[in-house]
Amino acid sequence: MKPNLSLLSRDEAEEIHSEALRVLGTVGVFFEDKSVEEIVVKAGGVRKDGRVVLPESLVEDSLKTVPRRIRLYDREGNLVGVLGEGAGIFDPGSAAIRILDYGSLEPRNPTLIDLKNLVTLVDALPGLRAQSTALVPSDVPVEVRDAVRLYVVLKYSTKPVVTGAFTVENLPLMVDMLASIREDYAEKPFAIFDVCPTPPLSWSTVTSRNLVDLARLNVPAELISMPGLGATSPVTIYGALVQHHAENLSGIVISQAVRPGAPIIYGGSPTMIHPYYGTASITSPEAVLISLGYRDVARLFDLPTHTYMALSDSKLVDYQAGAETTYTAVVAAMSGFDIVSGAGMLEYESVQSLEKLVLDNEAILVADRLARGFEKDNMALQVLGEGVLEKRGNFLAVKHTRQNYRKEIYIPSIWDLEPRTKTKGGSLLEKAHAKVQEILAKHTPKRLEGDQLERLDNVLARLYELHNLKLVKPNI
């Protein structure tokens, strides 16, 4: 008996799909990179006024070859979840360019040490079943920052990772990093790469070439359409949802034109563009409704899904941060997304906080408990009789309670639930900071060692050589 949060009926979802097909067949898509444009044209796309229109038959044929299930593994080859079955795997929000220290009101540029600390923390948090390349280290040459982030995660955690490349050149080497750890990285994937169309209805050179390479290498690509209501998409939720679906469909066409059967995750990060400030609010009700809508559209084709939730637009770890994170985490969990990115994030997907990661872990575990629902209890009548008639209403004395308490009840470990007489005082933020310090002092991740580490280091050396940089091995 599980809750099932949904927005669109099947007929409404089919209408969105039909509208998106009409858009792709008339407005079409712009490709900055002409080699990718040529791939789509050879598959059946038609050039028109500097754009490429995608016939309905091409889109529908591409949808037929997309895998409906992706089995996601950890670094050691253990199954973590099956994408396409509502896996509910939460990971930290990716690519934050700043980090907010405890006690500070202003974020700063992160370093490699910050990234290692974040990876160590996430490795210990049970609600976060995947890592991400969550920070962009400022003390690394800009040419190699995307791949060095992945190096750190692979070295210090066994959890699967959501990542992405900033350049065309680095992505194949990032995949080589995966291969250096396990040659069966394609058969048992433990990394997912984000690729983002540029709204409205276009593809940059970097992201389109990344998508082509990922399809060629058989690595899961996560399509992240990002309509911005009123700025880079129609201001109506309906219009933005049609655009979102059309952009992701164009990504499916690209990937399947390169390699039919290439693994794709249908995702997004819609925003509401603030009419006064131009900021991109990802936790606005409108953005959440778009995500719920595209989840229902993806259901038409039984596709694995992704969303950006369990995060906040607030600048501090405060009431707003907790409220936005928790309600979006609950929405994501109860609507059956497979991958949910965003934990730890503040300020329009640009800032990470270690303390917020600890607090978000708790919110995610609560959301997971809600999504899990409950099972029928065939002993209920007997237990009621025993509790009322034999134990005088004291169900703590009933064996059934002791047998089922841990399975049935989730008790948050950091939220303020103890009586006032037992509390030690201090805010939740103070408790979260203490938890961060405890984990960093005591938790030892399973570090990559031996031949695997040597091979990974060799790929890192090739990365620096590619960019004519002197290799300074990360001091972590």
Side-chain angles (χ1 to χ4, degrees), residues 74-86:
D74 66 13
R75 193 183 71 188
E76 298 188 327
N78 303 305
L79 182 66
V80 173
V82 181
L83 310 186
E85 297 182 355

Side-chain angles (χ1 to χ4, degrees), residues 246-262:
E247 288 175 349
N248 272 5
L249 286 177
S250 70
I252 289 172
V253 168
I254 296 168
S255 72
Q256 302 307 296
V258 174
R259 184 182 180 278

Side-chain angles (χ1 to χ4, degrees), residues 86-147:
I89 297 172
F90 285 77
D91 68 285
S94 298
I97 58 173
R98 293 176 293 172
I99 186 169
L100 183 67
D101 291 323
Y102 175 71
S104 176
L105 299 180
E106 293 291 335
R108 61 172 174 81
N109 294 332
T111 66
L112 273 173
I113 293 297
D114 293 319
L115 178 56
K116 179 190 174 185
N117 287 342
L118 186 145
V119 170
T120 300
L121 185 66
V122 172
D123 191 72
L125 295 175
L128 296 168
R129 294 165 60 201
Q131 294 274 358
S132 76
T133 43
L135 289 171
V136 182
S138 60
D139 54 347
V140 173
V142 65
E143 299 93 335
V144 296
R145 285 178 184 174
D146 51 359

Side-chain angles (χ1 to χ4, degrees), residues 4 34 66 89 122 196 234 238 277 291 382 430 458 461 473:
N4 184 9
K34 297 312 170 186
V66 178
I89 297 172
V122 172
C196 308
Y238 185 93
Y277 308 118
S291 290
Q382 179 180 330
E430 290 171 328
N458 289 339
K473 197 169 179 181

Side-chain angles (χ1 to χ4, degrees), residues 192-239:
I192 294 167
F193 283 73
D194 288 344
V195 286
C196 308
T198 303
L201 293 163
S202 65
W203 283 88
S204 71
T205 294
V206 171
T207 55
S208 62
R209 292 276 296 279
N210 283 172
L211 183 53
V212 166
D213 285 340
L214 290 167
R216 177 176 56 83
L217 295 165
N218 201 30
V219 175
E222 199 160 69
L223 300 173
I224 311 291
S225 171
M226 303 179 293
L229 286 170
T232 59
S233 81
V235 74
T236 61
I237 294 168
Y238 185 93

Side-chain angles (χ1 to χ4, degrees), residues 332-350:
M334 294 179 70
S335 54
F337 281 96
D338 291 294
I339 302 288
V340 185
S341 301
M345 279 205 134
L346 296 162
E347 200 170 344
Y348 324 116
E349 296 182 301
S350 67

Side-chain angles (χ1 to χ4, degrees), residues 261-289:
I264 287 288
I265 300 161
Y266 182 109
S269 181
T271 63
M272 182 276 292
I273 306 302
H274 198 287
Y276 301 154
Y277 308 118
T279 51
S281 172
I282 194 170
T283 61
S284 70
E286 297 79 15
V288 172
L289 285 169

